[in-house]
Amino acid sequence: MFHVKHEFDVIVVGAGHAGLEAAAAAVRLGRRVALVTLSRDDLGALSCNPAIGGVGKGHLVREIDALDGLMGRLGDAAAIQYRLLNASKGPAVQGPRTQTDRALYRQAVSGAVSAMSGLTLVEGEVSELVLSGNGVQGVRLADGTVLKARGVVVATGTFLGGVIHIGNDQRPAGRWGGAAADRLRHQFAELGLPKGRLKTGTPPRLDGRTIDWAALPRQEGDAKPVYLSFLTEITANRQIACGVTQTTEHTHDIIRENLGRSALYSGNIEGAGPRYCPSIEDKIVKFPDKSSHQVFLEPEGLDDTTVYPNGVSTSLPDEVQLAYLRSMPGLSSVEMVRPGYAVEYSFVDPRSLRRTLEVAGFDGLFFAGQINGTTGYEEAAAQGLVAGLNAALRAQGRPLFEFGRDQAYIGVMIDDLVSRGATEPYRMFTSRAEYRLSLRADNADMRLTPLGLDLGCVTEARRLSFERKHDEMARGREALRTTRLPAAETENGETPTRPWTTAYEALGQGDGVARVAEHGARPEISQAAWEALCAEACYAPFAERQKKEAEKLAVGRQVSLPPAESLIEIPGLSIELRHKILAVRPATLVDAERIEGMTPAALALLLIQARQKSAA
Amino acid sequence: MDTIFAEATPPGKGGVSIVRLSGPQARAIAARLAGDLPASHQAGTRRLRDGDDAIDEALVLAFDAGRSFTGDETVEFHLHGAPVVVSRLSAALRKHGARQAAAGEFTQRAFLAGRLDLTQVQGLSDLLAAETEAQRRLAVQNASGLLGKRATEWREALSEAGALLLADIDFPDEDLENGLIDAALERIVAVRESIEATLAGSAAAEIVRKGFQVAIVGPPNAGKSTLLNRLAGRDVAIVSERPGTTRDVIEVRLDLNGAAVSLFDTAGLRDSDDVVEGEGIARARRTAEAADLRIHLSETGEAQAGLLCPGDLVVTSKADLHPGDGLRVSAQTGAGLDALVSEIGERLAQRIAGAGVVAHEMQRDRLARAARHLREAERSGAEFLAEALWQAIHELEALVGRVDIEDYLDLVFSRFCIGK
Ligand SMILES: Cc1cc2nc3c(=O)[nH]c(=O)nc-3n(C[C@H](O)[C@H](O)[C@H](O)COP(=O)(O)OP(=O)(O)OC[C@H]3O[C@@H](n4cnc5c(N)ncnc54)[C@H](O)[C@@H]3O)c2cc1C
Ligand SMILES: Nc1nc2c(ncn2[C@@H]2O[C@H](COP(=O)(O)OP(=O)(O)OP(=O)(O)O)[C@@H](O)[C@H]2O)c(=O)[nH]1
Ligand SMILES: [Mg+2]
C-alpha cells in the first residue's frame, strides 16, 4: 500500500542529540520539519554520563550556540555543576563543562521541541528511504506511511546493528531499553555505503542512597560558573558536588580473576573501541603497574538517586560488577541500579560523505552523529546542526554550506571524518585543530554568529546580544590601541625597541591585565566583552599568522585536481609519490600539498595537469 | 607568501652569476643590501653590503609586482661569478628574512600568476626527475649520516613532547602525573640545542663543505687511476698494468672550471676471492652509490649496470688504442679530456639547479627556523609551546617525516591510563 500522507521540507530520522539539533536548525531556517523517532522518550536522552562540554567538546558546544543551536542553552537549563577545565591555562584551551540533571535536561528538550513551530514529531520506525535515481524523496515508516521531503537527515546513532554485551549475554539493542532497528542497514548496504564496526561501553549505575558520602572526598564546582551558552546570565539550578573514590588492589584482583567472563576479553566483540574511553578491564590489563584508578561519583540529578561512577565502564557479568564496586572506599554496601555494558554497532564510513554531510552522489541525503563514527553528545549535535542546515538549504534550492578547518572545530571534525574516516570512535580534542589559538570557546560567537546571520539561522534575540557585544569589543579595542603604557621591562635586560606599548599589546603579555587596570586603561565595557578582548589580545600575533596561512590554503583549495589515475600519468613523478597520490586521492591542490614528500615542482606539474584537463 | 631566492645561472660557470629574489618583501630586502633600487625594468650598478661587510659590486635589476616573471616583486642581482660571492649574498638575503627557493618554486609561482604557458613549463618534468634523484641520494646520505641519526632522535623527542602537551591540554580531568609541561619543555630545549649545535658546526655545514662528489668506476685496468692523476695534474694514485692495483678509495679535490669537486678513484670492479680486493670493491661500490655523479670508465665503453644512474657519464678509455665516436679519452695523449671536463661541469650545474646543495641549504634554512620557533616559545604556556612544536615539526618534516596527531595519541594512550 503506497499512499503519500505528509509533505515536509526536511525529515530528520532519530531524535538523539544529532537529530534534535538538525531539526532545530531546519526549523530556524523556516522549514517544515518532521522529526521521526522510535520513541518520544528518546528525545534528548543523555544515554551515558550526564555531562556536557569539556576541552574540545566545550568548544563544539559554544560553536553550536553561536549558530543559535540548542545544546548550550539546554545544558545550562539543566546544569547542576559547572567547571571550567584548564582554567589555569590560556583561554584557547579552556573548556566549559557541566554536570547536568538528566530529568531537567529532558524537560528542557521537550520545552524546546514544543516551542518550535513548523516541527512535527512522529513516533515510529523508519524502515526505508524513498529514493529516486540519485536523489532522496522521503522515508517510509514500518507501518507503511510515507513521508515526503527534499532533504533527509539520518541520525540513528548506534541503532544500526547494535548489540549489547554483558558478560556472555548478548542481545540486540542500541541503548538500554531501545529496540534495534537494522532494516535500514540493509538498505544502506544496497546503496553501496561502506560500513564498519565500533564499540563503546558504559559503567553500572549506583543507588546514591547506598553510598557512604561522608567517607569520600568531594569535588566542588567553580564558585564563579562559566556558562555553556553566550546567552545565559544566571545559574538555573542548585549546584552539587561530586564524590571521588578509587579502585583498590582488591578491585583489580576481582577483575583480573574474572577477565575471561568479560565480553571484551572473551572474543565476542569485533568492533574497535575508543582508546580514550577504556573499560576498567582494559585499564587493569594495560597498566598493571597502576595500583589504583580514580573514580568520580556523579549524581545524575537533584532529585535522582542514581549515581554515575565515571571511570569504570565494563562488560563483566552483573555479579562481578557488584563485587568490584563494593571493593572501593565508600561503596562497601552499594547497590547497583543497572549493570554496565558494552555496545557494538555499525557505522557508515564518513568518507562517503561530503563536507556538507551529504552523501556523495545522493542529493538531499545527509548523515549526522554517531552513525558517522563519532562518539559524544557534542560531536553528534555539531554534525546535526550542519546536516540540518544543509538539508534545509537543499530543500530551499540554496547553495549548501561547509565549515573550514580554520573557521571552527566543527570544520575540523567534519574534515577529519570525510578525509580520514574513523578507525575508533572519533572524539574532539583541541590538538586536532591546527588553528587552535584562533578557534577558541570564548570567540565562537565572533567567529560564527555572523555566518549564522547570513544563513538565516540566528534569531533576533541572539542577533541583538551579539551586536551589542561586538560593538563593545570594537570600542574597547580602539580605546586600548590608542592608549600608551610605558613598555614593560624585558626579562633579560634587553632594551625594548620602543619606550611604550599600546594597552592592547600590553594586554597580551603576562601581567598585562593587571597593568592595564593599574593605569586606569580598562575601557568601560561589559565584563563579557572585556574578557573576550583579553583573550583576543593574548593570541593576536598568532591570529595574524594563522590568518595568512589560511588565506593561502583557501586559494589552493579552489584548485580542484583531476582524478588520481590521470595525475599519476605525469612524467617525472617518483614511484613513491605515485603510490601516495593513489592512496590519498587529492581532490584539491591543498590536499596534494599535504602529501608527504610532495615538492613544489611536483605540485606545479599536478597543477598543469589540472589546467590541461579542465581546458580539454 | 614567503620571499624566496635562488641562483638562476648554473653555479661556477662563466663570468656572471644571477641571483633572483622574488616575493612581497623582495624590494624591501634588496634595498637593505643595495641602498636604493633602480626603477622597475631598469638596471643599475650597486655596491651590495651586508651591514659593514661588502658583498660585491653588482648589476641590479628591479621589477615591480605584476610586471615580473613570477608576478611578484622581483629583484635580480648580477654578480661576479665566484661561488663565494653568491654564498655571501645568500647568507645576507637569508638574514633579512628571505628563504632559499625549492626547486621549481619560481616556475610554479610564475605559472600560478599566469605568466607561463604550458610549453614553457614542460621543462619542469626533467627538473623533477633530477630533483627526485637528488633527493633520493640525499636521503641515502642523511639516513646513513650523522644528520640522519640526529633527525631520528629529534623526531622521537619532539613526538614525545607533543604527546605530553596533548595529554596535559586535552585531558585535564584525568589523574595524570604532575609536571607534564616541564617534561615536554625539557625535551624541546634538548632538541633546540641539538639543532643549533648541528647548524653551528658539524653535520650540515660539512655536507655543504664537502662539495660535489664524482666517482670513477669501471673494470680493473680500465685506466681509472691514470685518468685521476691526469685530471689532478699530479701522481696521486698508483698506476700499473696489473689489474686490481687500486684497493682503497682515493680522493682528490679539484677545481673544475670554478666548481669544487671531490674526485674519487676506486678499485676495479670484478668478482674476486681476494679478501683485501673484495673489501676494496665493496668500498668502491659504496663510494659510487653515494656520489653525485659517476664516470663509468672502460675500454669497451660499457657502464656498470648496477651503479648506473640517470645523468651519469659513460666514457671509453685509452682512446689512443680504441678510436671512434662518443665520449672517449686518452689519459696518455690527453685527447678528449677537455670535453670530459666540460661534460662534468655541465652535469654538476644541472644538479645544482635541480637540488643537490640547494636541498642542503634549504635544510639549513628549515633547521634554523625550527630552532627559532622552539626558542621563542620556551617561556610561554602549554598552548604556545604546542603551537611552536607544530611549526618546528612542520619545518623538519623533510628530515624527520610527518608527525601527526595520531602519533601523539598513540604515545599518550600507551603511556597514560586515560579515560573514564
Ligand atoms: C553505551 C554508551 C555510552 C556512552 N557514553 C557516553 C558518554 O559518557 N559521554 C558522551 O558524550 N557520549 C557517550 N556516548 C555517546 C553518545 O551517547 C552518542 O555519541 C550520542 O548520543 C549520539 O547521538 P546521536 O544523535 O548520533 O544518536 P542517538 O543519541 O543514539 O540517537 C539515535 C536516535 O535515532 C532513533 N532511531 C534509530 N533508528 C531509528 C529508525 N529506524 N527510525 C526512527 N528513529 C530511529 C532513536 O530513537 C534515537 O532517538 C555513549 C554511547 C553509548 C551507546
Ligand atoms: N694506451 C693507453 N694506456 C693507458 C691509458 N690509460 C691507462 N693506461 C694503461 O692501462 C694500465 C692500467 O691503468 P690504471 O690506471 O692502473 O688502471 P685502473 O683502472 O686504475 O686499474 P685498477 O686499479 O687495477 O682497477 C696501465 O698500464 C696504464 O698505463 C691510456 O689512455 N692509453
Ligand atoms: Mg687503479
Side-chain angles (χ1 to χ4, degrees):
Chain A
M1 185 184 66
F2 183 87
H3 55 230
V4 174
K5 259 186 149 178
H6 300 287
E7 297 229 13
F8 297 93
D9 295 317
V10 173
I11 296 167
V12 178
V13 187
H17 300 278
L20 193 61
E21 210 65 71
V27 166
R28 288 201 299 285
L29 286 191
R31 297 304 92 202
R32 288 165 306 154
V33 180
L35 177 58
V36 190
T37 186
L38 293 176
S39 153
R40 258 168 211 280
D41 297 340
D42 288 345
L43 267 180
L46 297 164
S47 54
C48 200
N49 181 10
I52 294 177
V55 180
K57 286 165 168 281
H59 290 72
L60 286 174
V61 176
R62 281 284 176 83
E63 291 181 353
I64 294 168
D65 189 63
L67 293 159
D68 221 3
L70 300 177
M71 185 167 252
R73 281 175 288 168
L74 297 175
D76 281 333
I80 51 176
Q81 184 185 73
Y82 282 98
R83 280 195 310 124
L84 181 66
L85 301 188
N86 277 338
S88 63
K89 298 198 179 74
V93 294
Q94 292 174 355
R97 178 189 192 272
T98 63
Q99 194 65 38
T100 58
D101 178 303
R102 200 185 284 284
L104 290 175
Y105 195 84
R106 202 182 285 268
Q107 204 178 306
V109 169
S110 59
V113 167
S114 47
M116 284 180 218
S117 58
L119 182 87
T120 308
L121 189 64
V122 181
E123 207 169 21
E125 177 180 1
V126 169
S127 58
E128 212 181 318
L129 300 171
V130 181
L131 301 163
S132 75
N134 52 2
V136 70
Q137 289 197 318
V139 301
R140 177 174 293 121
L141 306 188
D143 68 3
T145 312
V146 171
L147 309 179
K148 289 196 106 186
R150 283 183 64 191
V152 172
V153 177
V154 177
T156 52
T158 53
F159 284 70
L160 286 182
V163 178
I164 284 184
H165 299 261
I166 306 179
N168 268 327
D169 290 347
Q170 292 170 28
R171 76 182 78 138
R175 189 190 288 152
W176 195 253
D182 57 2
R183 266 185 244 178
L184 274 175
R185 190 168 50 127
H186 297 295
Q187 195 181 22
F188 295 161
E190 281 162 28
L191 288 175
L193 295 174
K195 64 175 174 54
R197 208 115 171 100
L198 293 171
K199 70 144 207 263
T200 185
T202 191
R205 299 305 199 282
L206 316 180
D207 181 342
R209 292 166 300 189
T210 59
I211 295 174
D212 182 4
W213 293 101
L216 297 172
R218 329 198 86 199
Q219 186 188 47
E220 303 284 345
D222 294 343
K224 190 178 159 288
V226 172
Y227 300 120
L228 295 180
S229 170
F230 287 106
L231 297 184
T232 304
E233 282 167 355
I234 51 165
T235 307
N237 308 300
R238 177 165 64 84
Q239 301 291 291
I240 53 110
C242 297
V244 188
T245 181
Q246 75 264 345
T247 60
T248 61
E249 290 288 5
H250 187 205
T251 319
H252 295 198
D253 288 341
I254 297 171
I255 291 167
R256 245 178 256 132
E257 275 160 30
N258 290 286
L259 265 188
R261 303 171 67 194
S262 158
L264 296 166
Y265 283 87
S266 55
N268 286 342
I269 294 185
E270 51 170 305
R275 289 171 293 180
Y276 35 80
C277 197
S279 63
I280 187 70
E281 293 96 296
D282 273 337
K283 291 186 186 178
I284 281 156
V285 171
K286 291 195 185 132
F287 297 91
D289 295 343
K290 223 171 163 206
S291 58
S292 173
H293 298 270
Q294 211 170 41
V295 178
F296 290 91
L297 299 174
E298 303 173 339
E300 295 205 346
L302 293 174
D303 303 321
D304 189 342
T305 54
T306 315
V307 168
Y308 181 97
N310 199 341
V312 288
S313 88
T314 184
S315 66
L316 286 161
D318 298 16
E319 65 276 16
V320 182
Q321 298 190 22
L322 190 61
Y324 82 63
L325 285 170
R326 289 188 171 170
S327 68
M328 294 187 241
L331 302 185
S332 57
S333 48
V334 79
E335 291 296 339
M336 218 162 59
V337 181
R338 268 187 280 142
Y341 57 87
V343 184
E344 220 189 345
Y345 57 95
S346 297
F347 72 104
V348 169
D349 186 342
R351 283 173 295 187
S352 9
L353 306 178
R354 301 186 201 282
R355 287 181 175 79
T356 53
L357 294 183
E358 192 172 35
V359 177
F362 289 94
D363 278 2
L365 181 57
F366 298 83
F367 277 74
Q370 190 150 7
I371 192 166
N372 288 342
T374 61
T375 178
Y377 314 137
E378 304 82 352
E379 286 83 351
Q383 291 171 68
L385 177 72
V386 172
L389 281 179
N390 278 319
L393 292 171
R394 178 60 87 199
Q396 287 175 289
R398 288 166 65 192
L400 302 194
F401 181 79
E402 54 186 67
F403 291 97
R405 295 183 72 93
D406 55 324
Q407 276 180 312
Y409 273 79
I410 303 178
V412 173
M413 173 175 66
I414 293 179
D415 184 60
D416 281 348
L417 289 172
V418 304
S419 58
R420 298 171 156 216
T423 50
E424 67 181 333
Y426 180 98
R427 174 184 153 181
M428 199 69 237
F429 297 119
T430 69
S431 302
R432 296 193 195 274
E434 57 273 48
Y435 300 109
R436 173 162 62 189
L437 301 184
S438 324
L439 303 183
R440 304 187 304 273
D442 70 76
N443 69 0
D445 53 348
M446 295 299 135
R447 287 186 278 125
L448 300 179
T449 304
L451 282 174
L453 285 165
D454 283 350
L455 286 169
C457 68
V458 171
T459 45
E460 192 60 10
R462 185 178 300 268
R463 182 179 68 79
L464 291 174
S465 117
F466 168 77
E467 283 172 356
R468 201 176 324 116
K469 181 172 168 195
H470 184 271
D471 293 348
E472 279 185 310
M473 283 179 70
R475 199 150 43 78
R477 199 181 290 117
E478 181 57 27
L480 289 163
R481 282 201 171 130
T482 49
T483 306
R484 289 183 181 188
L485 305 183
E489 285 160 34
T490 55
E491 281 177 44
N492 38 19
E494 289 165 22
T495 40
T497 38
R498 46 180 160 78
W500 48 269
T501 58
T502 68
Y504 188 76
E505 286 164 342
L507 210 51
Q509 295 156 1
D511 55 347
V513 179
R515 277 182 57 221
V516 170
E518 205 173 285
H519 287 85
R522 174 176 179 327
E524 301 256 324
I525 53 178
S526 71
Q527 184 65 15
W530 167 243
E531 280 169 14
L533 273 181
C534 291
E536 175 190 294
C538 180
Y539 299 105
F542 288 86
E544 196 53 36
R545 197 168 76 203
Q546 296 197 327
K547 198 169 134 218
K548 281 196 190 130
E549 241 170 67
E551 277 163 9
K552 200 176 112 195
L553 284 177
V555 173
R557 208 169 277 128
Q558 278 162 13
V559 181
S560 51
L561 296 175
E565 286 73 20
S566 82
L567 287 178
I568 59 163
E569 287 165 16
I570 295 169
L573 286 183
S574 69
I575 295 177
E576 203 186 340
L577 215 45
R578 276 182 205 177
H579 280 312
K580 285 189 182 148
I581 288 173
L582 278 178
V584 174
R585 313 196 67 82
T588 69
L589 200 62
V590 170
D591 301 333
E593 208 172 355
R594 288 201 198 139
I595 294 177
E596 198 179 329
M598 186 56 73
T599 66
L603 216 51
L605 282 168
L606 296 188
L607 198 60
I608 291 161
Q609 186 82 352
R611 302 247 162 122
Q612 267 172 336
K613 291 277 158 174
S614 63
Chain B
M1 188 168 43
D2 292 345
T3 298
I4 56 174
F5 69 89
E7 196 174 351
T9 41
K13 275 196 99 188
V16 176
S17 297
I18 301 176
V19 171
R20 202 180 271 149
L21 173 71
S22 177
Q25 294 296 314
R27 292 192 66 109
I29 293 173
R32 255 171 254 156
L33 306 181
D36 67 320
L37 295 178
S40 188
H41 289 73
Q42 308 263 318
T45 38
R46 294 287 184 279
R47 199 181 292 273
L48 303 182
R49 337 185 44 95
D50 177 17
D52 292 335
D53 301 327
I55 298 173
D56 194 16
E57 174 106 13
L59 191 70
V60 176
L61 279 106
F63 304 88
D64 283 348
R67 302 182 61 199
S68 73
F69 170 64
T70 56
D72 306 317
E73 284 183 13
T74 299
V75 179
E76 273 182 21
F77 303 94
H78 295 233
L79 306 165
H80 296 99
V84 49
V85 176
V86 176
S87 65
R88 240 186 270 146
L89 176 63
S90 305
L93 291 175
R94 210 175 280 131
K95 203 164 87 191
H96 287 106
R99 74 168 164 79
Q100 178 88 40
E105 206 170 355
F106 273 98
T107 321
Q108 190 198 5
R109 285 191 181 181
F111 184 77
L112 281 170
R115 303 259 148 192
L116 291 180
D117 66 24
L118 285 175
T119 49
Q120 285 173 293
V121 285
Q122 291 304 353
L124 273 175
S125 279
D126 305 334
L127 175 59
L128 190 62
E131 183 187 45
T132 10
E133 179 50 29
Q135 275 172 351
R136 185 191 64 77
R137 216 167 316 113
L138 191 69
V140 171
Q141 261 178 25
N142 281 344
S144 59
L146 186 57
L147 197 56
K149 258 188 241 119
R150 293 221 175 131
T152 316
E153 288 164 15
W154 294 339
R155 186 198 156 88
E156 222 159 88
L158 291 177
S159 314
E160 272 177 29
L164 292 169
L165 291 172
L166 183 148
D168 188 70
I169 292 173
D170 276 307
F171 298 102
D173 238 11
E174 300 286 340
D175 131 55
L176 307 176
E177 62 209 55
N178 292 327
L180 295 180
I181 295 190
D182 288 340
L185 191 58
E186 201 176 289
R187 288 168 173 77
I188 286 173
V189 172
V191 169
R192 198 256 303 152
E193 283 173 352
S194 169
I195 291 177
E196 283 171 349
T198 305
L199 276 172
S202 47
E206 190 187 312
I207 292 172
V208 175
R209 245 187 293 121
K210 252 194 333 208
F212 282 100
Q213 309 198 339
V214 179
I216 310 176
V217 291
N221 242 357
K224 300 184 291 296
S225 303
T226 317
L227 179 63
L228 176 96
N229 288 345
R230 182 81 198 211
L231 289 172
R234 56 205 158 98
D235 253 341
V236 195
I238 302 167
V239 168
S240 87
E241 64 278 11
R242 251 192 47 213
T245 306
T246 306
R247 298 285 167 94
D248 254 335
V249 176
I250 295 167
E251 174 181 2
V252 289
R253 298 187 144 242
L254 299 176
D255 183 323
L256 283 189
N257 290 349
V261 166
S262 288
L263 189 64
F264 296 93
D265 179 24
T266 63
L269 301 174
R270 64 171 168 182
D271 292 333
S272 166
D273 294 336
D274 185 311
V275 187
V276 180
E277 188 180 3
E279 176 56 29
I281 290 171
R283 287 182 190 196
R285 287 188 183 282
R286 278 203 298 274
T287 305
E289 273 168 13
D292 298 298
L293 176 72
R294 282 143 295 276
I295 300 173
H296 296 258
L297 190 72
S298 68
E299 291 185 57
T300 53
E302 283 167 70
Q304 297 296 318
L307 294 172
L308 189 64
C309 294
D312 281 359
L313 290 168
V314 182
V315 181
T316 308
S317 63
K318 308 186 188 176
D320 47 309
L321 304 179
H322 315 291
D325 302 331
L327 253 187
R328 278 164 200 274
V329 296
S330 169
Q332 214 161 62
T333 66
L337 285 179
D338 282 351
L340 177 63
V341 167
S342 92
E343 278 291 337
I344 295 174
E346 196 76 32
R347 305 284 150 126
L348 295 188
Q350 280 171 11
R351 295 298 158 86
I352 293 176
V357 156
V358 173
H360 294 135
E361 287 214 15
M362 245 170 54
Q363 262 171 14
R364 215 162 30 156
D365 272 4
R366 289 185 163 269
L367 284 172
R369 275 199 303 251
R372 202 181 60 228
H373 285 306
L374 295 177
R375 196 171 343 99
E376 279 170 6
E378 276 166 20
R379 268 174 298 162
S380 33
E383 76 273 30
F384 291 104
L385 213 49
E387 171 76 15
L389 197 68
W390 198 307
Q391 302 283 348
I393 288 178
H394 183 67
E395 296 292 352
L396 297 177
E397 226 163 57
L399 212 56
V400 304
R402 184 158 297 188
V403 181
D404 188 270
I405 166 137
E406 289 303 323
D407 298 305
Y408 290 169
L409 289 175
D410 283 342
L411 282 171
V412 168
F413 296 124
S414 64
R415 175 159 175 180
F416 302 111
C417 180
I418 278 183
K420 308 210 142 154

